[in-house]
Amino acid sequence: MNPARSAATRLRIKRLGVDTYQESVVYLNRECAVCKSVGFESQSRILVCHGEHRIVATLNVVTGTWLDPSTAGLSEAAWRRLGASDGDWVTFEHPKPAESASDLRSKVFGHALDRARYERLLLDAIDGRLSDIELAAFIAACAGPTFGLEENIALTEAMVNVGERIEWARSPVLDKHSVGGLPGNRTTPIVVAIVAAAGSLIPKTSSRAITSPAGTADTMATLTKVDLDLPAMRRVVEREGGCIIWGGAVSLSPADDVLIRVERPLDFDSDAQLTASVLSKKKAAGATHVVLDVPVGPTAKVRSLEAAAVLGKRLVDVGAAIGLHVAVHVCDGRQPVGRGIGPALEAWDVLRVLRNADDAPLDLRDRALDLAAKVLDFDPSTPGTSRGRAEALLRSGAALRKFEAICIAQGGLCEPPVAPCRFDFVAARSGIVVDIDNRKLAKLAKLAGAPRDASAGLVLHAPLGAHICAGEPLLTLHAESTGELDYARAYLDQHAALLRLGDDA
């Protein structure tokens, strides 16, 4: 680089403490030399160089005096990736155009891409060469009606190929995953504990919440450490036969983590993207046999049995093409499973089931046993009927002991936190619960602070068919501050019909 030009594009950096989720953002004053000499404009993609570290970030141009023209401000995500210190010098350049720009345009205009072009596009996404706006366009394009099976296979294979993969010394390697869209439904920790206690291998990588009040990784993070790297994951699985960790920490299908970052504010994912996301992570984690839980209901992610059949066929066909045996478990998605909605509240439900507590939610227990039996059906070495074996392992305490051992191997076991602020929402009249809006319940839990605040969310007291008397609680809000509690209550006042009561029979 020309020394004079280097000086003109050189600024000291400052950590601004701005949370932009996982997007790298650089803030420059409109009057700074970099903006004037290099021609950067707001929303430009900009290459930030600090020694051997380089990141591509989105530029936000600011006015006024709060950011000095001689200083560049960095968001939290950019700060972590650059690995710098306050006051360090950095230089700025125009990044090379993304090699996949033509692939992206082609996809947006409805053309099919092959595996090689998807790999090129996903590598650019991982390297930060595509902006979130461009990635949003890509995600939307993948939701189009022309996205067929062969292209879905190509995308899934590409997502596997651009990340790390792990292999295991024995087979079968079992897994279970839910397509989501149903609050609560925290069956995975229970299933993993039962299957591992049966002697089968089940290395489970899980997601944090995308559009829900909690993901399995969020719930498990209230109980143990989940951000293990690959060597640590392997040690836990080889010792205990299973694990329940956050997939984002192990670089298995890392392109999926980038796409999830964009899907989160969009609040949707298509069947094609869901299929590629789920199956690429299962394949990369070394799974050979997978059970996929598909809840169906009017306010679930999958709305009808017909839609479940279409999605299920796509999952089975793409799975077979990449070497996975996939079984689809279609189940009732008309209401939440379990009582808690939010990381810690769902963790308490899990512990009650594993501990065979008198107040354990029976719907969560039964759903977990059904899924565990379906997973164990894949392992011919498991003696007896799968459902009977699963129930015996849970009832005897073997599943609880295995769960505790897995948590200790991952870094220790602790009790989930409890929220200090609560509010009971009571029934205005007597009646029978005839309808529950899953989406509004999920939003209510998020407004209370979940999943950001681990103890936040809600507890549902009135499932479908329950007879409620006037003045009895329908649900209890949990929050870590009175401000968040009031915010959720305001939403509840406007949407009280998220639990609808019918007349007594």
Side-chain angles (χ1 to χ4, degrees):
M1 177 182 291
N2 183 297
R5 183 167 178 78
S6 177
T9 60
R10 189 166 173 256
L11 296 174
R12 291 193 183 276
I13 56 171
K14 179 180 181 180
R15 184 178 187 176
L16 295 182
V18 177
D19 182 3
T20 54
Y21 188 42
Q22 296 181 33
E23 183 181 10
S24 294
V25 178
V26 173
Y27 301 85
L28 297 180
N29 191 294
R30 187 179 300 279
E31 301 303 318
C32 79
V34 172
C35 287
K36 289 186 171 183
S37 65
V38 186
F40 288 129
E41 296 179 349
S42 191
Q43 295 302 306
S44 294
R45 300 293 285 166
I46 182 170
L47 181 65
V48 188
C49 307
H50 175 257
E52 298 298 318
H53 295 277
R54 293 171 174 244
I55 63 168
V56 179
T58 299
L59 173 62
N60 282 2
V61 176
V62 303
T63 59
T65 59
W66 69 271
L67 184 63
D68 189 272
S70 65
T71 302
L74 269 63
S75 70
E76 287 295 287
W79 189 265
R80 288 193 303 269
R81 290 172 184 141
L82 197 60
S85 301
D86 266 324
D88 284 358
W89 289 99
V90 296
T91 57
F92 300 91
E93 302 175 25
H94 286 284
K96 294 179 181 178
E99 291 186 4
S100 63
S102 61
D103 304 323
L104 179 58
R105 284 193 298 272
S106 182
K107 184 69 252 171
V108 168
F109 283 108
H111 300 294
L113 305 181
D114 60 18
R115 186 179 65 189
R117 296 178 76 186
Y118 272 122
E119 287 178 7
R120 183 166 63 176
L121 193 152
L122 294 173
L123 285 171
D124 278 344
I126 294 168
D127 291 341
R129 297 189 179 278
L130 297 174
S131 69
D132 282 9
I133 294 174
E134 291 170 313
L135 292 174
F138 169 70
I139 290 167
C142 289
T146 61
F147 201 97
L149 177 62
E150 291 304 316
E151 193 171 7
N152 213 158
I153 294 169
L155 174 60
T156 307
E157 290 176 332
M159 291 177 73
V160 174
N161 292 344
V162 298
E164 295 190 59
R165 297 175 65 171
I166 189 167
E167 295 182 357
W168 304 98
R170 61 186 176 101
S171 186
V173 181
L174 310 179
D175 207 334
K176 169 266 169 191
H177 186 86
S178 174
V179 302
L182 197 61
N185 201 25
R186 200 52 59 211
T187 56
T188 290
I190 304 167
V191 171
V192 170
I194 292 171
V195 173
S200 298
L201 195 66
I202 183 164
K204 182 75 178 82
T205 62
S206 298
S207 301
R208 294 193 181 273
I210 303 174
T211 60
S212 68
T216 296
D218 299 304
T219 295
M220 285 300 300
T222 70
L223 295 162
T224 189
K225 185 178 179 182
V226 296
D227 54 342
L228 277 62
D229 59 17
L230 278 177
M233 174 187 177
R234 185 178 288 279
R235 285 195 298 271
V236 173
V237 175
E238 289 177 347
R239 173 176 159 182
E240 299 298 340
C243 68
I244 315 163
I245 69 168
W246 176 45
V250 290
S251 297
L252 301 172
S253 190
D256 185 50
D257 298 316
V258 176
L259 297 178
I260 284 174
R261 183 188 77 209
V262 179
E263 288 173 344
R264 186 176 183 180
L266 287 175
D267 198 20
F268 87 96
D269 55 359
S270 64
D271 281 3
Q273 193 62 53
L274 183 154
T275 298
S277 171
V278 171
L279 298 184
S280 66
K281 287 201 167 182
K282 301 309 165 191
K283 183 68 175 179
T288 58
H289 297 71
V290 183
V291 171
L292 296 175
D293 180 35
V294 183
V296 178
T299 57
K301 180 180 291 185
V302 181
R303 305 293 182 88
S304 67
L305 290 174
E306 292 77 13
V310 171
L311 175 60
K313 186 175 188 312
R314 183 179 287 257
L315 288 163
V316 170
D317 290 347
V318 174
I322 67 171
L324 286 175
H325 299 273
V326 174
V328 176
H329 179 76
V330 177
C331 56
D332 185 359
R334 294 175 298 155
Q335 63 179 332
V337 177
R339 290 191 289 271
I341 302 175
L345 297 170
E346 294 174 27
W348 283 113
D349 278 353
V350 167
L351 290 176
R352 291 185 181 102
V353 170
L354 287 170
R355 290 169 177 171
N356 292 295
D358 291 339
D359 61 346
L362 296 181
D363 59 339
L364 178 63
R365 181 182 187 274
D366 289 342
R367 182 76 60 94
L369 285 171
D370 288 343
L371 289 165
K374 205 167 185 74
V375 173
L376 290 173
D377 281 341
F378 277 134
D379 192 344
S381 66
T382 303
T385 64
S386 297
R387 173 68 189 224
R389 177 71 167 153
E391 195 160 2
L393 289 166
L394 179 61
R395 188 174 56 250
S396 69
L400 173 62
R401 292 190 294 274
K402 177 55 69 175
F403 180 77
E404 292 173 339
I406 289 172
C407 289
I408 290 169
Q410 288 186 195
L413 175 62
C414 60
E415 294 281 286
V418 177
C421 305
R422 301 185 190 185
F423 169 74
D424 287 332
F425 175 63
V426 302
R429 68 178 184 89
S430 298
I432 296 174
V433 180
V434 296
D435 187 59
I436 295 176
D437 192 318
N438 288 311
R439 290 176 178 267
K440 288 180 179 176
L441 269 184
K443 184 170 183 178
L444 180 62
K446 289 191 285 185
L447 291 175
R452 180 188 63 258
D453 298 334
S455 66
L458 64 88
V459 174
L460 180 66
H461 302 298
L464 288 174
H467 181 275
I468 300 295
C469 295
E472 288 185 334
L474 296 170
L475 61 86
T476 300
L477 288 171
H478 290 238
E480 293 189 4
S481 73
T482 55
E484 288 171 312
L485 188 66
D486 290 343
Y487 195 33
R489 287 182 63 180
Y491 178 82
L492 187 55
D493 288 341
Q494 296 173 354
H495 300 278
L498 51 78
L499 273 80
R500 187 163 60 87
L501 298 180
D503 294 331
D504 292 337

